[in-house]
Amino acid sequence: MILGIGTDLANIERIQGTLDRFGTRFKNRVFTETEQAKAERRRDVAGTYAKRWAAKEACSKALGTGLAMGISWKDMAVRNMRSGQPVMEVTGWAKERLEQMTPAGHEAIIHVTLTDDHPWAQAFVVIEARPAKPETPA
């Protein structure tokens, strides 16, 4: 069952301007060390940050809160699997909110997809609840 859907569109040039103006202060406020390391290794640094910005916005919308009610930017983090597929990880208040909205006997899965076509970066997040797998006896 679908628990939440969120999307966001970010302007890469706007993110570049914010990076130019606030630099490390902006990065440290919004992005985890892992996200920063990934972005700084990329040819399109601003585009990578913009996609992650959009993913955080989309995730907060899928959680039904937006960036209000105590969710911190760093409570939502994008990492990539070896295949390159993005994965959203939540901690802090975002994790608490996810647990609150997940029905008993279910597990929540956050699906995220990112794309960009200069000057735009876009993210979609879908939060799904699946029946939890029963534990097998040891």
Side-chain angles (χ1 to χ4, degrees), residues 46-67:
T48 302
Y49 279 120
K51 285 186 280 190
R52 278 150 178 73
W53 170 280
K56 290 167 186 270
E57 287 274 9
C59 184
S60 71
K61 292 171 186 175
L63 289 168
T65 63
L67 282 161

Side-chain angles (χ1 to χ4, degrees), residues 26-41:
F26 169 66
K27 293 175 197 176
N28 289 339
R29 181 174 156 251
V30 176
F31 302 100
T32 65
E33 289 180 17
T34 302
E35 289 173 310
Q36 290 180 49
K38 172 79 173 181
E40 298 299 328
R41 287 193 307 266

Side-chain angles (χ1 to χ4, degrees), residues 6 21-22 25 27 33 42 46 57 59 63 68 72 99-100 105 113 116 118 131-132:
R21 186 168 177 199
F22 298 105
R25 193 169 100 202
K27 293 175 197 176
E33 289 180 17
R42 301 298 300 260
E57 287 274 9
C59 184
L63 289 168
S72 163
E99 290 168 355
Q100 290 170 358
T113 187
D116 66 292
H118 196 84

Side-chain angles (χ1 to χ4, degrees), residues 46-138:
T48 302
Y49 279 120
K51 285 186 280 190
R52 278 150 178 73
W53 170 280
K56 290 167 186 270
E57 287 274 9
C59 184
S60 71
K61 292 171 186 175
L63 289 168
T65 63
L67 282 161
M69 299 174 63
I71 291 181
S72 163
W73 287 103
K74 289 185 176 182
D75 284 349
M76 301 163 289
V78 178
R79 68 172 180 80
N80 294 85
M81 297 171 64
R82 286 185 185 202
S83 65
Q85 177 183 347
V87 176
M88 179 66 69
E89 295 177 341
V90 292
T91 58
W93 202 93
K95 184 176 181 179
E96 290 175 24
R97 172 68 181 143
L98 182 63
E99 290 168 355
Q100 290 170 358
M101 62 192 289
T102 304
H106 289 73
E107 62 182 343
I109 294 105
I110 302 175
H111 304 277
V112 60
T113 187
L114 308 172
T115 191
D116 66 292
D117 186 7
H118 196 84
W120 301 107
Q122 186 174 34
F124 286 97
V125 170
V126 175
I127 302 175
E128 173 189 13
R130 292 185 189 160
K133 296 177 183 167
E135 294 185 30
T136 52

